[in-house]
Amino acid sequence: MPLLELESVRRFYKQKHTMFSRAAHAPVRAVDGVDFTVEPGETVGLVGESGCGKSTLARIICGLEDPDEGGVRWNGSDVGAMTRAERKTLLHREVQMVFQDPHASLDPRRSIGQSIAEGIITHALLPAAQVERRVQELLAQVGLNPDHAHRYPHEFSGGQLQRIGIARALAVEPKLLVCDEPVSALDISVRAQVLNLLNRLKRELGLSMIFIAHDLDVVQHMSDRIVTMYLGKVVEQGSCDEVYGATAHPYTRALLSAIPRTLAPDERLERVVLEGDPPSPIDPPAGCPFHTRCYTAIDRCATDVPGLLPVPDGAATHRASCHLADQVTVSLIGMVTTVGSSPTPSERNN
Ligand code: SF4
């Protein structure tokens, strides 16, 4: 049974009237019909440009927002049917977030020991006399000096603060960590240390993870499975080997081609530079939502919505929403290869 299951989840934000316009506004379609699962012990990488719906999805998963439509199941239980108390004891404890900015996520007026202890006390996980010792264990677990529990956030570097944020998340013994760009605000020199720490904790504690990041090299390093989102929808998903080995959606291909790689010139993937910004989620284009920027679009892309279907000749778990997913797949592991022939514009339109 999946640890987490989202079924046809939609989250639309109503726009407020302004003093200049009282006309009814169309809602912002932040998440638009997403199916998503996380298995026990699995790390799922969530990728896409800013505004694609990743962070809204993360907030729904953590129980910080409710979807307007669709269902969320946690460990087999319907989150929508949970009482406030059940949400607090189940979802809010077992799903924890690691934030992008470790400075902003800690209270500067409280010692780091107090911040880490807060969840243990709130959920009454230990008798009061054992909390201090547990905080010291958690600091040691994330590679910090246990004697520094009385220090304040301003006394630590960015990398150390992120370790403290991870210790605070682990304090309530979660089953799922939602890591929202956890290393993008850190110096390059400490990013690898924090990523290795997350990987070690995942192995040792049997955690599941959702790993949200812009850096697709990092996502590949961390994840078992990749989900690509565009304009609030999932456009491709599959295991790392499937998505990186035989990319089926032009948008995923563009994101992956932007990764700087130290390959020989004849092994480098041709860089795909997307033109323009993503369309507004208030008024998404008809047909395929990516067709206004797609470099392989055909006429029907402007009118027909592609389904998220298994990629032909791929594994059943590899899915893409593209009318041409059966014609071009590109390997991004090592050399560029083309499976099938790349169609000419006139061939594509036939
Ligand atoms: Fe591009 Fe058409 Fe595929 Fe959409 S359906 S990604 S527009 S080729």
Side-chain angles (χ1 to χ4, degrees):
M1 177 174 64
L3 187 64
L4 173 77
E5 236 176 325
L6 269 62
E7 199 181 322
S8 306
V9 162
R10 286 197 160 79
R11 181 75 177 107
F12 293 176
Y13 295 110
K14 287 187 187 138
Q15 294 192 83
K16 291 194 177 124
H17 295 288
T18 67
M19 62 185 291
F20 302 109
S21 168
R22 297 212 165 270
H25 293 289
V28 177
R29 305 161 79 97
V31 174
D32 195 359
V34 166
D35 294 322
F36 186 85
T37 57
V38 181
E39 300 292 332
E42 184 184 39
T43 298
V44 181
L46 201 51
V47 299
E49 290 162 294
S50 296
C52 71
K54 308 183 299 274
S55 294
T56 304
L57 199 63
R59 290 178 63 78
I60 292 171
I61 289 166
C62 292
L64 302 175
E65 287 193 31
D66 286 324
D68 296 310
E69 288 175 34
V72 181
R73 296 184 77 77
W74 174 251
N75 235 345
S77 302
D78 181 0
V79 172
M82 285 182 187
T83 63
R84 188 185 286 259
E86 284 171 334
R87 275 195 188 211
K88 189 179 162 194
T89 52
L90 276 178
L91 203 62
H92 293 175
R93 181 165 83 76
E94 294 183 346
V95 182
Q96 289 291 306
M97 262 191 114
V98 175
F99 296 94
Q100 177 179 12
D101 184 355
H103 288 272
S105 62
L106 290 167
D107 185 341
R109 293 161 302 179
R110 309 184 79 192
S111 71
I112 59 154
Q114 286 173 314
S115 291
I116 294 171
E118 187 181 2
I120 303 173
I121 295 166
T122 303
H123 293 284
L125 299 180
L126 286 173
Q130 294 177 25
V131 173
E132 188 179 344
R133 187 185 171 85
R134 177 66 182 139
V135 168
Q136 290 184 330
E137 283 173 4
L138 286 161
L139 284 172
Q141 197 168 24
V142 297
L144 293 174
N145 187 337
D147 296 334
H148 291 176
H150 62 281
R151 294 191 177 183
Y152 287 80
H154 71 270
E155 298 177 72
F156 295 92
S157 68
Q160 289 172 324
L161 287 175
Q162 194 56 290
R163 288 172 187 266
I164 294 163
I166 294 167
R168 191 176 58 167
L170 295 180
V172 290
E173 298 162 18
K175 292 185 171 149
L176 174 66
L177 278 190
V178 180
C179 305
D180 191 358
E181 301 274 4
V183 294
S184 59
L186 304 181
D187 289 343
I188 288 188
S189 57
V190 296
R191 284 183 188 178
Q193 295 169 16
V194 173
L195 293 174
N196 289 339
L197 170 67
L198 284 168
N199 259 335
R200 176 170 65 76
L201 293 170
K202 180 196 160 186
R203 272 197 317 274
E204 288 176 0
L205 305 174
L207 292 169
S208 299
M209 259 190 236
I210 295 174
F211 196 88
I212 302 170
H214 277 92
D215 185 334
L216 278 91
D217 237 2
V218 169
V219 173
Q220 182 182 20
H221 175 69
M222 296 295 293
S223 309
D224 303 305
R225 197 152 56 82
I226 306 276
V227 174
T228 309
M229 286 186 73
Y230 186 78
L231 269 190
K233 293 178 185 290
V234 173
V235 295
E236 183 164 7
Q237 63 182 31
S239 70
C240 269
D241 286 349
E242 289 160 6
V243 173
Y244 283 73
T247 311
H249 197 282
Y251 179 58
T252 314
R253 186 185 176 204
L255 294 178
L256 294 174
S257 78
I259 302 174
R261 285 167 185 266
T262 50
L263 296 172
D266 63 338
E267 292 181 339
R268 284 181 200 148
L269 183 75
E270 184 187 348
R271 175 82 196 272
V272 179
V273 180
L274 294 178
E275 292 185 3
D277 295 323
S280 167
I282 298 169
D283 185 20
C288 172
F290 187 55
H291 86 261
T292 54
R293 301 169 82 200
C294 185
Y295 46 91
T296 59
I298 55 176
D299 290 347
R300 69 183 282 224
C301 299
T303 51
D304 297 358
V305 180
L308 186 64
L309 302 174
V311 175
D313 302 329
T317 48
H318 188 191
R319 291 172 171 258
S321 63
C322 174
H323 297 308
L324 303 180
D326 59 337
Q327 295 188 34
V328 180
T329 55
V330 180
S331 169
L332 293 158
I333 297 175
M335 291 183 65
V336 179
T337 57
T338 303
V339 179
S341 57
S342 186
T344 63
S346 60
E347 284 170 341
R348 285 194 223 117
N349 280 318
N350 289 331

